[in-house]
Amino acid sequence: MPLSANQMGNFTSETLLQLWVPLDGGHQPERCQQFSQPHWQILEPNETTHNRSTPDTEPCRDGWTYDHSEFEATIVTEWDLVCGSWKLTQMAQSIYMAGVLVGAMVLGSLADRFGRKALLSWSYLQLAVAGTATAFSPNYSSYCVLRFLVGMAVSGIILNCMSLVLEWSPTRTRTITGTLVSYSATLGQILLPGLAYVLPNWRWLQLSLSLPFFAFFCCSWWFAESARWLVLARRPEQAVQVLNRVARINGKKAEGEKLSTEALRSHLQNELAQAPGTPWDLIRTPTIQRISKCLAAVWFATSFAYYGVAMDLQGFGLRAHMLQLLFGIVDIPAKLLSTLGMSRVGRRVAQVATLVLAGLGILANIFVPAEIGALRTTLAVLGKGCLAASFNCIYLYTGELYPTAIRQTGLGVGSTMARVGGIVAPLVKLMGEQMPLAPPIIYGSIPVFSGLVALRLPETRNQPLKDTVEEVENRLAQQPDTDP
């Protein structure tokens, strides 16, 4: 029943949609299929078409129409990552997480060999260059390669910043200093939705996020290298120079001038006699091995559950900007409470509590009907807040548990396990197509289990940082009651 163009023009958009697009199981227009020929039967009386077959379907051949109400342009709309190509969006995220994983393994170990400051400066430069280049990606493949390099740089920045903060902070202020640094990430998470609202095109957003790192790279040359690392790297002369400089900055010039290489060697002769740390030291001795196993479980569970919650953003019925803002705001009280917990009751109790509460919050959402969106969103936000508090604990706790000789390597391995969790989380999400209850049960159970595993970690509250593996072993031998 062919019709002329004039006749076709008399049809409403709804009629044309019915002519060309079949309905899915929910009686909504299919997103990725169309009829091979117009379905003229819908124009005829129902009784005459009752037994007639539906026309064959085929993939859409005329392109796609996108909803630009929230975002002007994304990698999905630019490279048509929909229908048969929708998995490429998950692949891009997995490639980024793989970069973060490789960065944790490589840059963590290199920092124990070449220093925290050098690797931090390099990470700033790599992120600035790769991030800026990402904004000009000509195709999907180059975008993924550049995002991999960005992920590596992000690992280098996080790990080296935390090590420098821990190794320069006095014992009494270590908790609050580490938390203040983590709040910089919270501030970024709060500002990001506003920036994304102002810059709805992903290229301009990517560019605006990357260019400041050129300035950070230039500023990083004025950072002070870790004096602890310089001593263990057998460079006491540079350690004295750095300590003198810091003393002048802190208004303690007279005390700094009293320092000398000979006095430093005399005071730290045991540390200078130790061989440099290696990744093998993470499992060489019983106590460090136990610490490494427990921390691996905690790092994995925290990241695994975090990305499990984050991937379900669209299931809460809020605009992406608003939900991202809520997820950032909840970090403020969550990290504050975790800081108070670490200071008052200890790192171990705070770590266990944040993981267990996060898991219980995720599991509780299983019993909340989808119609009660406000309660589901509240539980998700609270669970995310507990996981942010867990991250706040684990960075500080890991840095305190490992000695200086292998601290960066230990943080790198922990961060690696976190990235493995981030990579595995989407795979569990895919199970929901066949078993809807499986993902939330897994996302909630693993943090609870890992929280119980964390009970085997020793307490480090109000204890000075250790510099060698032997010091950690001796401390635990002298304090056998630190473990439950």
Side-chain angles (χ1 to χ4, degrees), residues 4 20 32 63 72 75 88-90 131 142 162 178 183 291 295 304 307 321 323 332 359 372 390 396 411:
S4 65
W20 284 102
C32 303
E72 176 184 301
I75 64 170
L88 293 179
T89 59
Q90 296 293 330
S142 60
M162 186 55 67
Y183 268 127
I291 289 173
L295 288 177
F304 174 78
Y307 286 102
H321 299 90
L323 197 56
I332 297 176
I372 312 179
S390 179
L396 179 65
L411 279 167

Side-chain angles (χ1 to χ4, degrees), residues 323-377:
L323 197 56
Q324 184 69 30
L325 181 61
L326 287 176
F327 272 23
I329 292 175
V330 75
D331 282 9
I332 297 176
K335 291 182 177 180
L336 178 60
L337 291 174
S338 70
T339 301
L340 293 175
M342 287 190 290
S343 300
R344 299 301 177 90
V345 299
R347 280 54 162 150
R348 180 172 53 192
V349 174
Q351 188 67 72
V352 172
T354 54
L355 278 173
V356 172
L357 289 174
L360 293 178
I362 296 172
L363 291 173
N365 243 342
I366 298 175
F367 305 99
V368 180
E371 295 77 17
I372 312 179
L375 180 56
R376 289 179 57 83
T377 301

Side-chain angles (χ1 to χ4, degrees), residues 60-134:
C60 298
R61 59 174 182 262
D62 298 318
W64 293 267
T65 299
Y66 297 102
D67 180 5
H68 297 287
S69 60
E70 284 193 78
F71 302 102
E72 176 184 301
T74 66
I75 64 170
V76 172
T77 63
E78 182 160 340
W79 294 314
D80 291 327
L81 305 184
V82 293
C83 298
S85 301
W86 73 269
K87 292 183 179 179
L88 293 179
T89 59
Q90 296 293 330
M91 182 182 295
Q93 180 65 19
S94 295
I95 289 173
Y96 168 79
M97 295 303 300
V100 178
L101 185 151
V102 172
M105 292 190 297
V106 174
L107 300 180
S109 297
L110 289 178
D112 278 335
R113 178 175 297 183
F114 299 107
R116 285 60 163 133
K117 176 184 173 181
L119 268 296
L120 179 58
S121 296
W122 171 261
S123 299
Y124 279 139
L125 180 61
Q126 180 173 321
L127 181 53
V129 173
T132 301
T134 301

